[in-house]
Amino acid sequence: MIEVINGSFSYEKSRVFKDLSFQVNKGEIFCIVGPNGCGKTTLLDCILGILKLDEGEILINKKQLKEIPPREIAREVAYVPQMHTKTFPYTVLDIVLMGRASHMGIFSSPSAQDRDIAGQALELVGMADFINRPYTQLSGGEGQLVMIARALAQKTPVIIMDEPTAHLDFKHELTVLETVIQLVRQTDLSIIMATHFPNHAFYFENSGINTSVALMDQMTFSAVGRPTEVLSEDNLMSLYQINAKVVSCLLDNNTELRQIVPLNTVNGRTTFEEGCKI
Amino acid sequence: MITRKKIIYAILILSPLVCIFFSLFIGRFPLSVPLVVKILWSKLAMSASSLPDKYNTVIWEIRMPRAILGALVGGSLAISGAAFQGLFRNPLVSSGILGVSSGAGFGAALAILIFNSTSYTYIFAFCFGGLAVLLSYLIGRVYNTTPAIMLVLGGVIVSSVFSALISFAKYVADPYNQLPTIVFWLMGSLASARYHDFIIGGIPMTIGIIGLIAIRWRINVLSMGDKEARSLGIDTALNKGIVIICATLATAGAVCVSGIIGWVGLVMPHIGRMLVGNDNKLLIPASLSLGACFLILVDNLGRVITGSEIPLGILTALVGGPFFVYLLKKTKGGGW
């Protein structure tokens, strides 16, 4: 689906990443994990065609990204932003209809067919009842689901999500993750997701989705692979300089649950044991 | 849903026409309804009129061009205000945000200074209005792209420079002759509206309005910000450029025939938002229609309220302000 080969990028003089290579297959969720400022968003911007690689190439469906005109990139890759700055109180439908822009001429407006597609997209994320609500009045989680619906309305094989659960509470975080899982199951989408929570990768893997995780550190991927292999205590130590415990238990329905429990920073002021005493 | 939309569009198209018709009766020279209809009909049917020439002149040479020009000017200011608000993602922006009004004001003042008459004000005002926007755009391009905030900043800089130049022009102007002309021009008026104004002001206004109506839905997408708009498949530089050029043509055309009329470009889009919502597909035509009606009505008011005409720039704010507050209260701001 998407292949990045030896990609390098720098802003002016500061290098962000170098010689990155990976590929994302159909129906796969590809999680990119890494500390703040490691270049996750920059990498996503390159795949979206907003920034251009200095070296290397990005292939979408075997086509060179740099040879695809901007409008057609938007038919291959859709984008769910991290935090959307809301300006005017558009209705939820207006927002989702914007996903149809790449399928329309410059001087045209959405057709009845576009409205149908937008309605179906809202249906898929379970937000159909909100169709005429001003999106400025939605909660953070509902807003994020609307953004996912907008990306779905773009009808692309790939969706890129930049920390889609940032600022969400437990329930809304789970709603977004569950929606993502359901979409991958139903539609064979590929999803590239930058996240601050390595546990998300475990969550997808636990749900039986084809999941890969990449640890982004020091301008490159220090490890890429299945969450169970990559998200080890040693790797978390070198990525975040933290002590963590990977725990595993069986759930009632006999599926395995794996989670990372972060304990303390390497140079931390309290160790876990001391913390327990307090 | 479809029928409701059709009704809205019908109202939007009809109301400026009704306002234009209504304004034919208003003025110093009283005309009755049957008389006006008769005059209109005799011209449209190309039959020789049995009525005295002065009736024809009042309707066809004075009131009609003034009403049509008022509609175009009000519509242009409001539609470009709505377009700029969407483009800059900022509800406090008006049609003059990129400096077109101050630029045009300086152009007019300069023409009055140089030629000691008002005959070249149109062309000077139009050119300097366009120049001001071009300068704002160039200032906004420091990063090779045009982020909205840099454009706004460019507009603020250019506006303040041209405002200073206007003050300078007033300062050096002959206080008995040129200064009053400049001051009155800046206050805005349609009193001198004739058909030849249509050539200078009407053509750019019409082009701008048509362009903005054509691209109106794209303004929704542009208002999501550069990055999202691009990820949605929009060539932001091209689309922004079209919106800026159209809005500038419309505003510069309006300012050069009417002088500086504030308020319309800021507030009419907001009244539109309260009435039809924020979707630019409906909002842009609604702003056009509201601006047109509002300016015709205010202009009528200015003609009859006192013996001499009150400049438009004063009345738009005096009438529009309270009306806006009333609407705010009534609609609870429409989702803000």
Side-chain angles (χ1 to χ4, degrees):
Chain A
M1 226 35 267
I2 284 203
E3 218 180 333
V4 177
I5 304 164
N6 294 329
S8 303
F9 182 85
S10 29
Y11 286 111
E12 306 280 314
K13 276 174 193 151
S14 66
R15 174 137 288 192
V16 183
F17 54 81
K18 194 170 185 275
D19 286 335
L20 268 192
S21 298
F22 65 96
Q23 75 173 49
V24 183
N25 301 316
K26 213 170 178 173
E28 181 179 349
I29 298 184
F30 190 87
C31 296
I32 304 173
V33 177
N36 282 328
C38 71
K40 299 188 291 287
T41 303
T42 306
L43 173 60
L44 296 186
D45 284 354
C46 290
I47 303 174
L48 283 166
I50 289 170
L51 297 173
K52 301 244 175 315
L53 287 181
D54 300 335
E55 287 157 44
E57 48 196 33
I58 297 174
L59 301 175
I60 299 179
N61 272 334
K62 310 244 188 297
K63 275 179 287 183
Q64 286 280 353
L65 178 75
K66 54 188 170 222
E67 282 159 18
I68 308 176
R71 201 173 107 180
E72 281 164 35
I73 295 177
R75 294 185 201 159
E76 305 285 350
V77 194
Y79 172 63
V80 176
Q82 173 182 5
M83 242 233 301
H84 176 89
T85 24
K86 294 167 179 173
T87 43
F88 299 103
Y90 293 111
T91 63
V92 167
L93 178 64
D94 290 338
I95 293 287
V96 178
L97 277 174
M98 292 180 199
R100 302 299 299 157
S102 57
H103 299 263
M104 294 174 351
I106 184 163
F107 293 127
S108 49
S109 299
S111 63
Q113 193 203 352
D114 291 321
R115 268 190 291 278
D116 287 346
I117 292 173
Q120 287 159 12
L122 279 168
E123 201 87 46
L124 267 175
V125 299
M127 291 290 290
D129 293 340
F130 292 76
I131 195 157
N132 288 317
R133 286 264 294 276
Y135 89 123
T136 39
Q137 290 173 8
L138 302 181
S139 72
E142 291 162 349
Q144 205 54 266
L145 291 177
V146 170
M147 289 295 135
I148 295 177
R150 186 180 75 182
L152 286 175
Q154 255 172 279
K155 294 269 175 199
T156 57
V158 180
I159 294 183
I160 287 181
M161 301 185 177
D162 193 358
E163 293 172 36
T165 64
H167 320 292
L168 299 189
D169 65 25
F170 273 137
K171 186 188 165 191
H172 284 121
E173 178 181 1
L174 283 175
T175 314
V176 169
L177 295 180
E178 280 166 2
T179 310
V180 169
I181 288 171
Q182 183 202 345
L183 291 175
V184 172
R185 281 199 187 126
Q186 286 179 356
T187 59
D188 245 6
L189 270 171
S190 306
I191 288 177
I192 302 177
M193 180 192 281
T195 176
H196 277 304
F197 305 99
N199 278 331
H200 286 170
F202 276 139
Y203 188 84
F204 294 134
E205 193 182 41
N206 295 339
S207 310
I209 301 284
N210 183 5
T211 311
S212 292
V213 59
L215 306 184
M216 195 168 185
D217 191 24
Q218 314 271 332
M219 298 184 196
T220 186
F221 284 167
S222 55
V224 188
R226 299 285 155 229
T228 319
E229 301 155 13
V230 171
L231 294 173
S232 65
E233 289 165 13
D234 291 345
N235 279 343
L236 288 165
M237 165 67 89
S238 65
L239 186 65
Y240 291 111
Q241 289 83 49
I242 59 162
N243 290 308
K245 205 100 196 131
V246 176
V247 295
S248 164
C249 63
L250 279 182
L251 294 180
D252 293 344
N253 55 2
N254 252 343
T255 53
E256 191 197 8
L257 174 79
R258 258 172 195 276
Q259 289 280 285
I260 297 162
V261 182
L263 300 178
N264 55 277
T265 58
V266 172
N267 303 315
R269 293 178 193 151
T270 40
T271 62
F272 185 61
E273 287 78 11
E274 278 169 345
C276 283
K277 273 176 224 153
I278 294 164
Chain B
M1 193 67 194
I2 298 297
T3 49
R4 183 177 161 256
K5 233 172 213 169
K6 276 186 182 152
I7 293 171
I8 292 178
Y9 275 120
I11 294 173
L12 292 181
I13 292 166
L14 282 179
S15 35
L17 297 179
V18 171
C19 288
I20 290 174
F21 182 71
F22 178 66
S23 73
L24 296 179
F25 303 100
I26 294 180
R28 303 263 101 189
F29 192 86
L31 290 169
S32 66
V33 177
L35 199 57
V36 170
V37 174
K38 212 167 167 185
I39 294 166
L40 288 177
W41 177 248
S42 69
K43 183 88 171 187
L44 293 175
M46 301 279 204
S47 63
S49 170
S50 54
L51 295 157
D53 265 356
K54 63 178 176 185
Y55 291 118
N56 259 321
T57 311
V58 167
I59 292 290
W60 284 107
E61 301 297 325
I62 298 173
R63 289 184 190 171
M64 190 62 108
R66 184 164 179 171
I68 295 177
L69 208 63
L72 270 176
V73 167
S76 295
L77 293 174
I79 201 174
S80 13
F84 277 151
Q85 286 176 3
L87 186 69
F88 294 122
R89 320 170 63 193
N90 184 341
L92 298 177
V93 152
S94 80
S95 46
I97 184 66
L98 291 181
V100 65
S101 303
S102 351
F106 173 68
L110 191 67
I112 293 166
L113 279 186
I114 295 175
F115 302 104
N116 216 353
S117 81
T118 52
S119 40
Y120 290 94
T121 47
Y122 292 139
I123 195 78
F124 266 66
F126 186 80
C127 293
F128 274 88
L131 177 72
V133 174
L134 186 68
L135 287 175
S136 305
Y137 187 79
L138 291 178
I139 293 174
R141 275 190 66 90
V142 284
Y143 294 132
N144 287 326
T145 61
T146 48
I149 187 73
M150 290 304 294
L151 274 175
V152 173
L153 195 58
V156 170
I157 295 168
V158 169
S159 292
S160 61
V161 168
F162 275 113
S163 299
L165 288 174
I166 291 176
S167 298
F168 184 70
K170 284 180 184 166
Y171 181 69
V172 297
D174 158 29
Y176 297 103
N177 189 7
Q178 294 169 335
L179 185 59
T181 319
I182 294 175
V183 170
F184 281 121
W185 191 91
L186 290 175
M187 285 179 190
S189 169
L190 290 169
S192 62
R194 295 296 178 272
Y195 282 112
H196 66 78
D197 296 347
F198 284 76
I199 300 167
I200 303 160
I203 292 173
M205 280 193 272
T206 314
I207 295 173
I209 289 171
I210 291 173
L212 288 176
I213 287 183
I215 205 170
R216 66 191 192 278
W217 187 76
R218 284 292 173 105
I219 297 172
N220 280 359
V221 186
L222 286 172
S223 76
M224 294 288 104
D226 269 14
K227 185 172 170 183
E228 280 185 46
R230 286 182 67 175
S231 77
L232 289 166
I234 287 218
D235 183 342
T236 46
L238 174 71
N239 283 271
K240 265 191 199 170
I242 294 176
V243 172
I244 291 177
I245 288 172
C246 290
T248 302
L249 281 176
T251 314
V255 176
C256 81
V257 292
S258 69
I260 295 174
I261 298 174
W263 187 258
V264 179
L266 173 67
V267 168
M268 287 306 127
H270 283 289
I271 296 179
R273 285 176 209 284
M274 293 175 202
L275 299 176
V276 302
N278 284 277
D279 182 3
N280 282 292
K281 194 183 171 190
L282 258 182
L283 176 63
I284 290 284
S287 302
L288 174 70
S289 176
L290 283 165
C293 296
F294 179 72
L295 206 65
I296 296 172
L297 294 178
V298 170
D299 185 43
N300 285 340
L301 203 61
R303 306 216 284 257
V304 294
I305 215 168
T306 59
S308 62
E309 287 201 16
I310 299 176
L312 267 178
I314 298 174
L315 267 186
T316 46
L318 283 183
V319 176
F323 180 59
F324 188 48
V325 173
Y326 163 77
L327 263 178
L328 265 179
K329 272 194 100 91
K330 182 120 198 215
T331 62
K332 307 250 185 310
W336 283 104

